[in-house]
């Protein structure tokens, strides 16, 4: 039986003269909700893209759910769900049609697909909106339907890259509960976010990365105690001298 854990060892990714991921090592336990924090350009999305098999690392190794991301990409795709930072969807299809299209790509039986789509759509708070064309959706609604599309195949491991961007506070809180439910189902979740309160509310542990390097790793509570601060933003400031999220 394959483990749902993730093991990253000395991962490096270079783009010409730029090192986006710099000797990164960490482990995510099976069933853990693990947060990756860091400013824009820190290497979070590059790391995710390596772990889901979209990018080849320059060096190092990553094993996701028991599968080597380089050697077992085909099997890897069958156990993961991905909510990317830049949503991919068809504007001329309804939200539900987009979800069902992704389910068909996973060769899901029609009755299972229909029931799971309806269940997830209701849980994410879209309801009747799922019957509207996705081209008419707000940014927050697009993020929510993207989450459903990522999870329609009932993956063992979910990668959620900035899933609550463009959401109002009420919608964000609803999605938090949706993400918590994944953990209660025993799924392993990697979450990237700029929202410090989101990481503190959801994550079992967080890894903070900057310039491609892991600079802190622990539970949110332990990191606050270690650095004698009140939130994870202050942890980052104390280590680096700057903020995770730039002021707009």
């Amino acid at each position: 039986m394959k483990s749902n854990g993730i093991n990253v060892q000395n991962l490096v990714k270079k783009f010409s003269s730029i090192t986006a991921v710099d000797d990164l090592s960490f482990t995510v336990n099976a069933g853990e909700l693990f947060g990756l924090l860091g400013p824009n350009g820190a290497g979070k999305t590059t790391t995710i893209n390596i772990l889901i098999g979209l990018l080849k690392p320059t060096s190092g190794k990553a094993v996701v759910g028991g599968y080597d991301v380089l050697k077992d990409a085909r099997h890897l795709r069958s156990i993961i769900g991905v909510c990317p930072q830049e949503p991919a969807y068809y504007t001329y299809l309804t939200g539900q049609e987009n979800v069902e299209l992704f389910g068909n790509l996973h060769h899901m039986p029609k009755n299972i697909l229909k029931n799971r789509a309806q269940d997830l759509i209701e849980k994410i708070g879209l309801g009747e909106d799922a019957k509207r064309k996705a081209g008419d959706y707000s940014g927050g609604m697009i993020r929510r339907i993207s989450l459903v599309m990522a999870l329609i195949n009932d993956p063992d491991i979910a990668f959620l890259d900035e899933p609550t961007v463009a959401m109002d506070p009420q919608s964000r809180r609803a999605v938090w509960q949706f993400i918590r439910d994944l953990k209660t189902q025993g799924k392993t979740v990697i979450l990237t976010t700029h929202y410090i309160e989101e990481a503190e509310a959801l994550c079992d542990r967080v890894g903070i990365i900057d310039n491609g390097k892991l600079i802190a790793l622990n539970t949110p509570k332990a990191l606050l105690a270690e650095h004698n601060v009140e939130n994870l933003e202050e942890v980052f400031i104390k280590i680096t001298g700057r903020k995770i999220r730039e002021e707009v």
Side-chain angles (χ1 to χ4, degrees), residues 137-211:
Y137 280 6
S138 67
M141 293 170 70
I142 288 297
R143 299 305 302 177
R144 282 188 279 165
I145 204 68
S146 294
L147 267 172
V148 175
M149 290 159 67
L151 300 169
I152 190 60
N153 62 320
D154 197 19
D156 296 326
I157 302 172
F159 293 89
L160 311 181
D161 196 359
E162 302 282 356
T164 62
V165 167
M167 287 186 187
D168 61 80
Q170 183 177 357
S171 296
R172 187 176 297 128
R173 295 280 176 169
V175 170
W176 285 8
Q177 187 56 53
F178 186 82
I179 294 172
R180 286 190 184 101
D181 288 344
L182 298 178
K183 180 175 168 58
T184 64
Q185 297 165 31
K187 300 185 186 301
T188 303
V189 181
I190 285 194
L191 169 73
T192 76
T193 180
H194 277 110
Y195 298 112
I196 301 306
E197 68 278 13
E198 187 164 281
E200 293 175 345
L202 296 177
C203 297
D204 298 312
R205 288 187 304 146
V206 296
I208 302 178
I209 62 176
D210 189 34
N211 296 318

Side-chain angles (χ1 to χ4, degrees), residues 24-201:
L24 195 63
S25 296
F26 63 90
T27 298
V28 179
N29 300 316
E32 185 174 28
L33 208 166
F34 184 88
L36 270 181
L37 301 182
N40 287 334
K44 303 185 302 296
T45 296
T46 300
T47 299
I48 295 293
N49 285 340
I50 291 171
L51 297 182
I52 65 177
L54 282 183
L55 281 178
K56 290 185 177 181
T58 303
S59 62
K61 183 177 182 179
V63 177
V64 176
Y67 295 113
D68 187 298
V69 298
L70 282 176
K71 299 176 182 177
D72 300 307
R74 183 172 62 86
H75 291 101
L76 172 65
R77 293 188 189 100
S78 69
I79 65 164
I80 66 173
V82 182
C83 183
Q85 193 174 94
E86 295 296 332
Y89 63 99
Y90 291 98
T91 58
Y92 56 85
L93 296 180
T94 67
Q96 183 156 349
E97 287 169 343
N98 271 286
V99 171
E100 291 178 352
L101 173 61
F102 267 68
N104 286 325
L105 292 175
H106 286 287
H107 306 291
M108 294 178 65
K110 290 191 180 298
N111 61 326
I112 293 176
L113 171 56
K114 182 178 180 180
N115 291 336
R116 183 162 173 78
Q118 289 177 344
D119 181 54
L120 291 176
I121 285 168
E122 289 298 326
K123 284 182 178 178
I124 206 71
L126 283 173
E128 289 297 312
D129 288 319
K131 298 177 182 178
R132 293 169 50 198
K133 292 284 193 296
D136 296 329
Y137 280 6
S138 67
M141 293 170 70
I142 288 297
R143 299 305 302 177
R144 282 188 279 165
I145 204 68
S146 294
L147 267 172
V148 175
M149 290 159 67
L151 300 169
I152 190 60
N153 62 320
D154 197 19
D156 296 326
I157 302 172
F159 293 89
L160 311 181
D161 196 359
E162 302 282 356
T164 62
V165 167
M167 287 186 187
D168 61 80
Q170 183 177 357
S171 296
R172 187 176 297 128
R173 295 280 176 169
V175 170
W176 285 8
Q177 187 56 53
F178 186 82
I179 294 172
R180 286 190 184 101
D181 288 344
L182 298 178
K183 180 175 168 58
T184 64
Q185 297 165 31
K187 300 185 186 301
T188 303
V189 181
I190 285 194
L191 169 73
T192 76
T193 180
H194 277 110
Y195 298 112
I196 301 306
E197 68 278 13
E198 187 164 281
E200 293 175 345

Side-chain angles (χ1 to χ4, degrees), residues 4-26:
N4 288 349
I6 297 169
N7 188 11
V8 177
Q9 299 176 6
N10 306 113
L11 207 61
V12 174
K13 180 61 181 178
K14 295 183 178 181
F15 297 98
S16 186
S17 61
I18 298 173
T19 302
V21 178
D22 192 355
D23 197 30
L24 195 63
S25 296
F26 63 90

